[in-house]
Amino acid sequence: MKVHPVTALFPMLGPDELLDLAQDIESNGLTEPVILDADGVLLDGRGRLAACELADVEPRFTTYQGDDPVCLIVSANRHHPNTTASQHAMIAAMARSLSPGSLPSDTARCGINVTRLSIATTVLEHAPDLAEQVRIGTLALNAAYTAVRRRKADAKALLAQHARLRQHAPDLAEQVIAGHLAVTDATAALDSRQEEEHLRRRVEEIDAIRLADGDTTPAFARTAEAGDVDWRHAHQMAEQYLAQRHDAIRHVQHSLAGIAELWSAVQDLAHHSRSPYAREILKGLTGPARTLAHRLIALETACATGTA
């Protein structure tokens, strides 16, 4: 007898369950008939029909008079002994894919949980292999949905990697498309390129500062381009130079701030440069300090008289 494809999605009764049903039918008769459609296709009652054959009891049939056989099948199997809620939802999703528009918008009427049906539909659309595992009961629906979301996230990330390669490294993208290079390896190569370019730009910026400061030693970028060092090492040297330059600037600023705080003493010496007071101060200085003092006094005198 031909079986409706949606009916075939539900598992058959196990041997022990089938034997129990056969014994019950043998003792009490078939209380619920096997349901066929107008063309004689079996809609519901595969287990009952098989049990009747096992019990050698003539089965009773009835013809479905409604207009939604899929809803009948799904509803009739809502309490199928070998079907979990996850399986029932997946089979409903598969039934709807086999016969679009067959299930009503009010799916609760067919014994279907709307949320589970939505999840099952998503799994069926994006991972038919996982959907089949849910149908036969080897994978829980929520676990399948989690796997689908992970697959979708991975696929999205992969597309983003391809787009990045096409934008920034068409040559690497071509190698990936040709199958000569894995996406992960191509992405790593692009990361390396971009890091090197970043280091190059930074080294060149620092070289420009050195040149403006009047430094005549070889440029860090030139040593890297010549292959004497790699760009990472050149960047380290450049940043070290910049740190030392910063320290030197802070030191000079601090020194000038100290001079500014003591400038009143220089001004006082300039105003009394010929006095015993000034001569005694200068006499007690060492050679370099005395020379500096004379220069500062001369500078302050020139500023005061407007001859500087």
Side-chain angles (χ1 to χ4, degrees):
M1 180 178 293
K2 186 177 181 181
V3 178
H4 194 283
V6 174
T7 303
L9 292 173
F10 287 92
M12 274 291 289
L13 294 175
D16 293 340
E17 294 164 327
L18 189 61
L19 181 59
D20 290 343
L21 181 58
Q23 290 174 344
D24 182 73
I25 290 174
E26 187 176 16
S27 301
N28 304 306
L30 180 63
T31 58
E32 189 175 348
V34 177
I35 304 175
L36 309 177
D37 69 6
D39 297 321
V41 176
L42 190 149
L43 300 180
D44 180 58
R46 275 191 308 165
R48 298 193 295 278
L49 183 60
C52 284
E53 293 176 358
L54 190 63
D56 198 20
V57 172
E58 187 68 24
R60 292 187 298 110
F61 298 94
T62 185
T63 301
Y64 175 63
Q65 301 297 326
D67 59 359
D68 195 347
V70 173
C71 184
L72 166 74
I73 297 167
V74 173
S75 178
N77 284 278
R78 74 174 74 181
H79 301 303
H80 193 290
N82 291 342
T83 306
T84 64
S86 291
Q87 289 175 275
H88 189 258
M90 183 54 70
I91 291 171
M94 290 178 170
R96 190 162 61 177
S97 70
L98 289 173
S99 181
S102 59
L103 293 178
S105 57
D106 181 15
T107 52
R109 185 159 59 86
C110 299
I112 306 170
N113 180 281
V114 177
T115 301
R116 285 200 195 98
L117 179 60
S118 175
I119 293 173
T121 301
T122 299
V123 173
L124 181 61
E125 288 177 355
H126 297 282
D129 58 321
L130 299 183
E132 178 59 18
Q133 292 182 50
V134 174
R135 185 190 74 82
I136 64 177
T138 58
L139 183 66
L141 180 59
N142 285 342
Y145 183 62
T146 299
V148 166
R149 293 183 64 182
R150 185 165 54 248
R151 285 186 186 182
K152 290 174 70 176
D154 291 343
K156 184 177 180 181
L158 187 61
L159 288 174
Q161 286 179 312
H162 276 286
R164 180 171 170 240
L165 287 170
R166 288 195 300 271
Q167 180 180 358
H168 299 289
D171 60 319
L172 296 178
E174 288 297 327
Q175 292 185 56
V176 171
I177 294 171
H180 301 316
L181 191 63
V183 175
T184 51
D185 293 337
T187 301
L190 175 57
D191 289 341
S192 179
R193 285 184 187 180
Q194 292 186 328
E195 181 187 16
E196 183 174 297
E197 181 59 28
H198 169 74
L199 295 177
R200 177 194 292 269
R201 288 197 299 268
R202 180 60 175 165
V203 169
E204 290 175 346
E205 288 174 1
I206 296 175
D207 276 338
I209 293 173
R210 292 177 65 200
L211 181 62
D213 285 345
D215 195 319
T216 58
T217 56
F220 296 124
R222 187 179 303 170
T223 61
E225 290 167 351
D228 297 332
V229 297
D230 59 25
W231 283 102
R232 186 178 296 277
H233 190 196
H235 175 258
Q236 290 174 347
M237 292 190 299
E239 291 292 351
Q240 184 178 9
Y241 163 80
L242 203 62
Q244 292 172 346
R245 179 180 183 272
H246 177 72
D247 289 343
I249 289 173
R250 293 292 300 273
H251 175 72
V252 172
Q253 289 174 334
H254 179 74
S255 298
L256 290 174
I259 292 173
E261 291 177 1
L262 299 175
W263 191 251
S264 60
V266 175
Q267 290 176 320
D268 190 44
L269 280 176
H271 294 158
H272 306 88
S273 60
R274 298 182 182 280
S275 67
Y277 167 77
R279 286 197 299 272
E280 202 164 324
I281 289 175
L282 294 173
K283 181 180 178 181
L285 296 177
T286 61
R290 187 183 300 111
T291 300
L292 175 62
H294 281 300
R295 290 179 179 177
L296 291 176
I297 291 171
L299 177 62
E300 174 60 23
T301 302
C303 291
T305 59
T307 61

